[in-house]
Amino acid sequence: MAAKKDQLKEYKQRRNLKKSPEPKGKVSKSKKKAKVPIFVIQKHDASHEHYDLRIEIDGVLKSWAVPKGPSFDPKIKRLAVPTDDHPMEYADFEGVIPKGNYGAGTVMVWDMGTYENLKLDSMDDCYNHGRIEILLKGKKLKGTFALVRTLLHNSKDWLLIKLRDEYASAEKNPVSTQKKSALTGRTMAQIAASESKKK
Ligand code: MN
């Protein structure tokens, strides 16, 4: 199990949650082991557009920023930079983080679903060892993916790699062909416009 320290400390420190509509966040205490773990990928139009991959591990969403987003081509290794753990409620956050706040910009739930751990070790151990292999059951992403911590000296970066299976494809490019929200069907522009109307 995770240590007792607040896993969301960095998440809270970086944000002014009185000014941003993002979830306040607490570590999920649910002990119900029957629940299937989830993942989400949020397209985030911040200073640089990127895709935030978040995987439920031990009551929080472990997170990586993937600048180019996922690929279905097993030959392509996509850089995945680890970021702060996010609260579980963040999984269905879609909207606009106001200017002047950390991560300011439009956030879309680009993909969402459940996953299966393909390794015999717990997800927590896989994360700590820097080697995760999961079967994604999302609306856009399906099949097996690996997240691997790079072995380069002092690097904290990971790589997101499609594993070979019936969903692998060098032609399919979900990032450029599937541009609408998995949660609401909206485009980035529609999300941005509807949030500015609220004011
Ligand atoms: Mn982000």
Side-chain angles (χ1 to χ4, degrees), residues 125-151:
D125 284 346
C126 292
Y127 183 86
N128 291 329
H129 297 156
R131 176 100 202 175
I132 287 170
E133 288 178 25
I134 47 180
L135 171 67
L136 297 184
K137 299 173 185 175
K139 295 199 171 173
K140 295 185 175 83
L141 298 189
K142 295 183 195 301
T144 52
F145 285 80
L147 270 160
V148 184
R149 195 187 290 134
T150 55
L151 298 172

Side-chain angles (χ1 to χ4, degrees), residues 60-189:
V60 293
L61 293 168
K62 291 285 178 192
S63 299
W64 294 259
V66 185
K68 293 186 175 173
S71 169
F72 277 117
D73 185 347
K75 290 195 187 110
I76 291 179
K77 297 175 170 71
R78 288 281 162 85
L79 177 67
V81 181
T83 59
D84 305 337
D85 296 348
H86 277 50
M88 289 303 299
E89 306 99 281
Y90 211 91
D92 55 9
F93 173 70
E94 187 170 274
V96 177
I97 301 170
K99 268 189 195 134
N101 288 275
Y102 181 73
T106 306
V107 177
M108 169 199 279
V109 176
W110 183 78
D111 198 16
M112 57 195 288
T114 60
Y115 78 86
E116 270 176 38
N117 176 12
L118 298 174
K119 309 271 276 184
L120 293 174
D121 292 330
S122 71
M123 283 298 286
D124 198 36
D125 284 346
C126 292
Y127 183 86
N128 291 329
H129 297 156
R131 176 100 202 175
I132 287 170
E133 288 178 25
I134 47 180
L135 171 67
L136 297 184
K137 299 173 185 175
K139 295 199 171 173
K140 295 185 175 83
L141 298 189
K142 295 183 195 301
T144 52
F145 285 80
L147 270 160
V148 184
R149 195 187 290 134
T150 55
L151 298 172
L152 296 170
H153 188 56
N154 277 341
S155 168
K156 285 182 186 165
D157 294 337
W158 293 55
L159 297 169
L160 173 65
I161 310 161
K162 179 77 192 77
L163 298 173
R164 293 183 189 281
D165 62 16
E166 71 267 37
Y167 297 104
S169 162
E171 284 84 46
K172 272 190 264 169
N173 189 347
V175 164
S176 58
T177 58
Q178 297 183 269
K179 296 189 166 188
K180 290 183 179 170
S181 166
L183 186 66
T184 62
R186 296 183 294 175
T187 62
M188 290 296 272

Side-chain angles (χ1 to χ4, degrees), residues 44 46 50 52 54 65:
H44 186 185
H50 59 272
D52 288 303
R54 311 190 196 281

